[in-house]
Amino acid sequence: MAKKRRRKKRRSGRKKIILFVFEILLLLIVLLVVWAYNKTLGQVKYEDALTASEAGINEDIDDDALANMHGYLNVALFGLDNRSNGSYNEGNSDCIMIASLNYDTKEVQLVSVYRDTYLPIGNGKFAKANAAYANGGAKRAVAMLNSNLDLNITKYVCVDWKALVDAIDDIGGLDLEITKAEMKEINYLIPEVDSTTGYNTPYLEGDGMQHLDGTQATCYARIRSTSGDDFLRASRQRIVLQAMLDKAKQSDLGSLTEMCKDIMSQISTNFTAAEIVQYATAVTKYQMKETTGFPFELTTMNLSTTGDTVIPIDLAKNVSELHQFLFNETDYQPTDTVQTVSDKIAKKTGVTSKTSAFDLTQYNDTVGSDGTEGAKKKNKDKQDSLKKSQSESENNSGTKSSSDDSDE
């Protein structure tokens, strides 16, 4: 009996030791999770969710159009020109993008809204689109997009220069094809970016295919002084964002973790921590489908109130084309709200549907391109192919008509 009791005590003692070790391991895991959260997701500047009213979603959007948009995650991306001062409630948003993720196909479409586009930014005031952020932060900027473009965006992400620099450095930089003019502009901008980040970045010594670090790639995305002005700058920004997504897919877990630690304290968003984890874990499934700039048809004017300004030619028609691009919705009919804005822009500027538009097709689709020259060639080839197809279609139609006539 005594031996049995001793065996029971030993077994009981082993169970207690195993249970104690398990509790210690569980505690360590909990501490590790808390540490990781504090180092990454816990540093994000989370903002409150936006209601439909706060987000400026037009009440007169057709129910079928809203239902169609619910099949997509539509996010506003704002790059702020606040010189890395850590404030996300002020400053112009010199990069404005709409990212649309198709939930079913996991395809992503990117649209750059040109920062100088003439639009109402709230309280009846017409100004450049990038001024909306300066006049009311992310909430006002999101409302500016929704109310003028018939969108349903309620999620946003805001970043400044340093966040972009650090993110690119942590994934090992980007390989981009740059022109000689772009190389000179990058070197010109490096001291300004370094002055805000505290880094000491070397100058580029050549053009062509170059390996750019975070500062150099950020300077590339900021170039505006070469031919193409802000239209080409928006194209460069999409090239950089696409290159970052491609590089992130190839990066190891350590690099991605380091990137998260570096940039999470430098962004402001109203995504929740759970949502960030949800979308981040699926990053390898995302595919960039197509990119473009908005408005599709535009001209430029020097207005007394805004200076050099991008004017949409028939905003309502542009919005219809945007819905076809993003949501494959053919013949979209803009709301009365958007049509009223469109009419006001025409009245204020004198720009109508008869105004000649700039040809911006060469700057539109950047998918698969590692530089502006590659993107231009891709877009030219696409346009040439489209024209050839249209010409063949017209010729075939003419041949068929002649044949029909002869049969009669």
Side-chain angles (χ1 to χ4, degrees), residues 103-144:
Y103 285 122
D104 291 331
T105 65
K106 299 297 184 289
E107 291 176 327
V108 178
Q109 307 235 86
L110 275 183
V111 177
S112 297
V113 178
Y114 297 124
R115 47 164 269 175
D116 292 334
T117 305
Y118 190 68
L119 293 170
I121 63 169
N123 299 326
K125 180 181 180 181
F126 280 72
K128 294 181 179 182
N130 70 337
Y133 202 105
N135 280 265
K139 185 184 294 186
R140 176 70 66 86
V142 168
M144 177 271 297

Side-chain angles (χ1 to χ4, degrees), residues 62-184:
D62 183 82
D63 289 341
D64 289 340
L66 272 179
N68 186 39
M69 283 191 282
H70 286 154
Y72 300 79
L73 170 66
N74 300 310
V75 184
L77 310 176
F78 300 111
L80 305 182
D81 185 12
N82 59 13
R83 301 303 193 265
S84 296
N85 64 10
S87 172
Y88 294 91
N89 298 316
E90 58 188 358
N92 290 332
S93 51
D94 280 352
C95 173
I96 306 172
M97 286 192 196
I98 300 164
S100 184
L101 167 67
N102 185 311
Y103 285 122
D104 291 331
T105 65
K106 299 297 184 289
E107 291 176 327
V108 178
Q109 307 235 86
L110 275 183
V111 177
S112 297
V113 178
Y114 297 124
R115 47 164 269 175
D116 292 334
T117 305
Y118 190 68
L119 293 170
I121 63 169
N123 299 326
K125 180 181 180 181
F126 280 72
K128 294 181 179 182
N130 70 337
Y133 202 105
N135 280 265
K139 185 184 294 186
R140 176 70 66 86
V142 168
M144 177 271 297
L145 292 173
N146 285 330
S147 61
N148 293 313
L149 309 182
D150 273 350
L151 296 175
N152 68 337
I153 300 169
T154 58
K155 296 295 186 181
Y156 63 83
V157 179
C158 312
V159 300
D160 63 13
W161 293 355
K162 193 172 186 300
L164 185 61
V165 170
D166 290 343
I168 294 172
D169 278 340
D170 287 332
I171 56 176
L174 304 175
D175 295 320
L176 298 177
E177 181 89 26
I178 62 172
T179 66
K180 186 168 292 186
E182 288 170 337
M183 178 199 73
K184 292 179 179 178

Side-chain angles (χ1 to χ4, degrees), residues 33-47 86 88 158 162 166 257-269 271-273 276:
V33 170
V34 171
W35 175 85
Y37 178 85
N38 288 333
K39 287 291 186 181
T40 55
L41 298 178
Q43 297 188 43
V44 175
K45 296 176 177 63
Y46 295 106
E47 304 292 344
Y88 294 91
C158 312
K162 193 172 186 300
D166 290 343
T257 301
E258 193 64 29
M259 180 179 71
C260 288
K261 283 162 52 180
D262 278 346
I263 70 171
M264 285 304 182
S265 62
Q266 301 180 62
I267 70 173
S268 175
T269 183
F271 276 107
T272 65
I276 291 176

Side-chain angles (χ1 to χ4, degrees), residues 119 148 294-299 311-321 334 338-339 341-343 345-346 349-355 357:
L119 293 170
N148 293 313
F294 183 89
F296 300 99
E297 288 86 36
L298 60 84
T299 188
I311 313 296
I313 297 176
D314 193 343
L315 177 66
K317 181 175 181 290
N318 275 283
V319 168
S320 180
E321 291 181 32
V338 167
Q339 186 61 59
V341 172
S342 186
D343 293 341
I345 291 174
T349 64
V351 173
T352 69
S353 57
K354 296 180 180 179
T355 303

Side-chain angles (χ1 to χ4, degrees), residues 192-251:
E192 181 183 6
V193 175
D194 276 352
S195 69
T196 64
T197 61
Y199 298 149
N200 185 18
T201 305
Y203 292 110
L204 291 175
E205 297 181 354
D207 55 343
M209 183 60 72
Q210 296 289 321
H211 184 76
L212 308 185
D213 66 17
T215 302
Q216 294 162 346
T218 299
C219 290
Y220 171 83
R222 294 190 61 233
I223 297 173
R224 193 185 184 189
S225 300
T226 60
S227 62
D229 300 320
D230 197 46
F231 309 120
L232 191 52
R233 176 166 75 165
S235 181
R236 290 189 189 95
Q237 291 167 351
R238 298 196 301 275
I239 287 170
V240 167
L241 197 58
Q242 175 191 308
M244 290 178 67
L245 177 60
D246 292 342
K247 194 69 178 286
K249 289 181 179 182
Q250 303 167 15
S251 299

